[in-house]
Amino acid sequence: MAALIFLLFKFVAKDPRLYKAPEGTAPPPFYIRALLVLTCTGVSFFHGSNDGQKGMGLIMLILVGTVPTAYALNHTVGRSTVVTFAAVSTEVAGAVSNYIEPAAVVSDTGQELERFVSTHTYQPSTMLALRQMIVDIRNEAVGYGSLGSVPQNMQANVRNQMYLTSETIRLLPKFGPKFSDNDSKSLTNYKSFLDKSTKFIPSWVKVAVALALGLGTMVGWKRIVVTVGEKIGKTHLTYAQGAAAEITAMITIGLADGYGLPVSTTHVLSSGVAGTMAANKSGLQMSTIRNIAIAWVFTLPVAALLSGSLFWLFNSVAK
C-alpha cells in the first residue's frame, strides 16, 4: 500500500523537493510541512486508539481489583437509564422463556452460567439459569435505583452477575439454540446495557494514558526516528516517502482498531517505509530488516515463556 501511495505521489505531485532528503536542519517548504503534520497527527491518533488500550486495560484491571466500590460498576448509569434497563430486561426475560424446555431444572444460576461460559457446553438448564439471572439483575438495579447506589459490599457481586450474563449471551449464538431475528436483536440490545455498566473507562484514565504515550514519545523518539528514517533504506527517507508511509499506517492501524485487532504501530510504519524504499528503488539495509524481523518473530514466544515462568515461580513461592 505504501509503495502504491508513493507512486501516486510521484504521478500527481511533481515538486522535486518532495523527493529529496532533508538538508541539515532546514525545515521543509510550508505545504510539505503541513502535509507531514497532518499525516503525523493521524498516525498519533490511531496509535493512541490501538496501543492506548493496553494501558487503559491494565489500569482498569488494577482499579477494579483494588477499589471495587468505585470502579466495579459504572456510577454514571443513573435512574433514567435504570428505568429503561428494567423494561429491556423484562422484554429479554420473555424472549429467553421461548427457549426454556419444560423439564429444565437449575439449582444455582451462577454456577450454571459459569459452567457454560467455561466449557461452552449447552444444557437445557442454561437458558433457565440465564432468565433467572436477568430477572435478579433487573430487580437489583430497580431496587437500588442507580448503579452508584449499590451497597459497597454488593458492587463486585452485581458486576460479576452482569459480566457472566453478558458472556453467556455472547456465546449462546454459537453454542446454544438458534434464536429468531427479533429475539437476537433483543439480546444484543440487552447486552449493550450490561457492557455499558461493566466495561467502561473513566475519562481521567484515558487522559492519563494519552499523556503517558505522548511523554514517552517525546522522551524516546530519537532512536526510533533514526532507525525508521535512516536505517531501513540505503538512502535517507524523503518527505513523500514519509507521508506515504504515514498514510498507510493511518489506514492500517485505523482498520485494525475498528475490527479490534492488536497491531504494532512501529511494525506497520517501518513496513510502510520499506515499501516506499522498494518503490523508489532506493534499496533496503538487510541487516536492519533482519533485526526487525527477528525481533517480531521472537517477541511472542519469549514473552509467553517469561510470563509462564514468572507465574510458576510466584505460584511456588505462594505455596
Side-chain angles (χ1 to χ4, degrees), residues 68-69 72-73 110 114 133 136-137 140 144 150-165 198:
T69 55
L73 295 172
E114 285 177 7
M133 188 67 83
D136 290 345
I137 293 172
E140 288 170 347
Y144 297 130
V150 176
Q152 292 185 5
N153 62 332
M154 289 294 294
Q155 293 262 341
N157 183 58
V158 173
R159 174 191 171 84
N160 289 340
Q161 289 178 323
M162 288 183 168
Y163 188 77
L164 195 57
T165 304
T198 57

Side-chain angles (χ1 to χ4, degrees), residues 39 53 58 66 68 82 92 165 190 196 212 225 231 244 247 250 270:
T39 55
Q53 293 180 44
L58 286 170
T66 57
V82 167
V92 171
T165 304
Y190 176 72
K196 180 182 178 182
V225 168
K231 294 185 178 180
I247 291 171
M250 286 169 53
S270 56

Side-chain angles (χ1 to χ4, degrees), residues 112 142 182 249:
E112 172 57 28
V142 172
N182 287 336

Side-chain angles (χ1 to χ4, degrees), residues 182-199:
N182 287 336
D183 291 342
S184 181
K185 289 178 182 177
S186 297
L187 285 165
T188 301
N189 184 39
Y190 176 72
K191 184 178 184 301
S192 69
F193 274 90
L194 296 178
D195 291 343
K196 180 182 178 182
S197 302
T198 57
K199 299 177 182 179

Side-chain angles (χ1 to χ4, degrees), residues 28-103:
F30 178 77
Y31 85 91
I32 295 177
R33 194 171 192 174
L35 173 66
L36 294 175
V37 168
L38 182 65
T39 55
C40 282
T41 302
V43 172
S44 296
F45 177 82
F46 289 113
H47 170 60
S49 70
N50 194 286
D51 286 36
Q53 293 180 44
K54 294 180 290 188
M56 291 188 290
L58 286 170
I59 291 174
M60 288 308 299
L61 195 64
I62 294 168
L63 291 175
V64 170
T66 57
V67 200
T69 55
Y71 296 102
L73 295 172
N74 187 353
H75 290 182
T76 63
V77 176
R79 294 184 180 275
S80 60
T81 305
V82 167
V83 171
T84 305
F85 174 72
V88 172
S89 299
T90 302
E91 177 189 350
V92 171
V96 170
S97 298
N98 297 330
Y99 305 91
I100 296 177
E101 298 180 17

Side-chain angles (χ1 to χ4, degrees), residues 303-319:
L305 180 63
L306 180 60
S307 61
S309 301
L310 288 173
F311 179 77
W312 173 82
L313 177 62
F314 295 154
N315 253 358
S316 301
V317 172
K319 290 176 181 178

Side-chain angles (χ1 to χ4, degrees), residues 182-257:
N182 287 336
D183 291 342
S184 181
K185 289 178 182 177
S186 297
L187 285 165
T188 301
N189 184 39
Y190 176 72
K191 184 178 184 301
S192 69
F193 274 90
L194 296 178
D195 291 343
K196 180 182 178 182
S197 302
T198 57
K199 299 177 182 179
F200 69 100
I201 299 175
S203 297
W204 71 266
V205 173
K206 298 177 184 179
V207 172
V209 171
L211 287 173
L213 282 172
L215 291 172
T217 303
M218 289 173 64
V219 172
W221 64 271
K222 190 169 184 178
R223 182 174 60 85
I224 295 174
V225 168
V226 170
T227 299
V228 171
E230 300 178 11
K231 294 185 178 180
I232 291 180
K234 291 183 178 178
T235 61
H236 196 290
L237 194 69
T238 65
Y239 300 126
Q241 287 175 311
E246 286 175 336
I247 291 171
T248 300
M250 286 169 53
I251 295 171
T252 306
I253 300 168
L255 288 173
D257 183 38

